């Protein structure tokens, strides 16, 4: 079997790299055309180092504007060290190299728990919401990826499914440390969003403090290009995410595409070393009464390596997604700063658990 390994995964960005992302037009102007479409690159260090609310508000407005116009931003200047992310990628790769029967012992089996190993073809992410429709899509064109789902360790009911220490040494401690670090990033970014939406900075703090998040390790095996040519086939189909934010860490292979909300055409979200790709999820969009966008995105195959005159193989790809969620018992209803008599709430209140568990139950076989 031909195995193509990803290249180096996550390296600190250098200032000269940033210069390529300067634009003359405003973001609102640039995203109206596919030729000038961009995902804004924001240095979050300025928010963390701000000495006044006005300084924080400047960065907060940039983040909220990115989510209003695109639904995605690149964050640099965050608290996560490149060596930390490299370590998570390394342990993730070691896990996915385990024998299938070993991973199968840790199989995902409950949408409420949302923990464990998901084999290739079991999931079909999509914008559809009805179980029968999703099942038909999954049978026709399942996602060509495998994943490992990890939740908070101190949950009163559900337990994470860990490989033995001898199988992947230091896997558990690496992932738990990363989980906590990502939660801290989530809290800081949500504080900036609160300011950008004219709310108190700590508005979301007690609504996201239970860490009902999901750390997902993703492996996209090498695949022959002929298998990706069928109708609806993709490494991961078009979908939105369910929670508040997603923190995505990409390797150098790429493949993520974001739909331009204004033209409906997909554009690449190429890896930028040292950044986190952050996108707004469905519940943040509902909270903001659609002021902030939960934007469609997908993972497509990168350029293939030829193996004969008629066939190629796409390289393996790894990514790490941290799906940030409100507390599962939090009620999600339109924020007062995002509604008015002329712009009433579009959505009835519901809890985080009602929305996310319902979506997960329909997504998996």
């Amino acid at each position: 079997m031909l195995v193509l390994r990803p290249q180096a995964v996550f390296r600190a960005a250098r200032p000269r790299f940033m210069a390529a992302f300067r634009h003359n037009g405003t973001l609102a102007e640039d995203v109206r055309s596919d030729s000038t479409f961009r995902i804004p690159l924001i240095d979050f260090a300025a928010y963390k180092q701000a000495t006044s609310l006005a300084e924080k508000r400047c960065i907060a407005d940039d983040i909220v504007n990115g989510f209003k116009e695109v639904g995605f931003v690149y964050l640099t200047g965050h608290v996560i060290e490149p060596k930390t992310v490299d370590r998570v990628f390394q342990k993730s790769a070691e896990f996915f190299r385990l024998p299938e029967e070993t991973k199968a012992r840790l199989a995902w089996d409950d949408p409420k728990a949302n923990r464990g190993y998901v084999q290739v073809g079991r999931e079909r992410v999509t914008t559809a919401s009805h179980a029968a429709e999703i099942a038909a899509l999954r049978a026709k064109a399942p996602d060509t990826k495998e994943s490992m789902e990890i939740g908070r360790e101190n949950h009163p009911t559900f337990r994470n499914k860990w490989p033995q220490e001898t199988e992947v040494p230091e896997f558990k401690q690496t992932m738990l440390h990363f989980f906590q670090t990502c939660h801290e990033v989530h809290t800081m970014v949500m504080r900036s969003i609160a300011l950008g939406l004219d709310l108190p900075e700590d508005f979301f703090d007690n609504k996201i403090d239970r860490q009902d998040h999901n750390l997902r390790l993703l492996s996209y095996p090498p695949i022959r290009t002929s298998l990706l040519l069928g109708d609806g086939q993709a490494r991961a189909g078009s979908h939105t995410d369910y929670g508040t934010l997603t923190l995505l860490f990409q390797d150098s292979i790429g493949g993520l595409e974001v739909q331009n909300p204004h033209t409906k055409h997909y554009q690449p979200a190429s890896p930028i070393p040292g950044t986190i790709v952050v996108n707004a999820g469905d519940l943040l969009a509902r909270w903001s009464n659609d002021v902030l966008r939960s934007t469609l995105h997908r993972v497509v195959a990168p350029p293939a390596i030829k193996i004969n005159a008629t066939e190629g193989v796409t390289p393996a790809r790894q990514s790490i997604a941290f799906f940030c969620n409100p507390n599962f018992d939090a009620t999600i209803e339109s924020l007062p700063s995002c509604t008015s008599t002329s712009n009433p709430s579009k959505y009835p209140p519901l809890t985080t658990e009602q929305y996310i568990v319902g979506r997960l139950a329909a997504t998996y076989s």
Side-chain angles (χ1 to χ4, degrees), residues 293-309:
R293 296 177 183 271
S294 182
T295 298
L296 282 168
H297 51 285
R298 65 188 182 187
V299 179
V300 299
I305 297 174
K306 296 285 286 185
I307 57 174
N308 59 45

Side-chain angles (χ1 to χ4, degrees), residues 213-230:
H213 314 307
N214 174 239
L215 171 60
R216 168 178 278 196
L217 312 177
L218 288 147
S219 172
Y220 299 81
I223 184 170
R224 291 179 180 269
T225 52
S226 59
L227 299 177
L228 290 171
L229 297 178

Side-chain angles (χ1 to χ4, degrees), residues 196-215:
L197 293 177
D198 298 316
L199 299 167
E201 186 180 17
D202 63 354
F203 178 86
F204 293 110
D205 281 11
N206 65 357
K207 302 170 182 63
I208 60 174
D209 57 354
R210 293 185 189 168
Q211 303 189 29
D212 287 327
H213 314 307
N214 174 239
L215 171 60

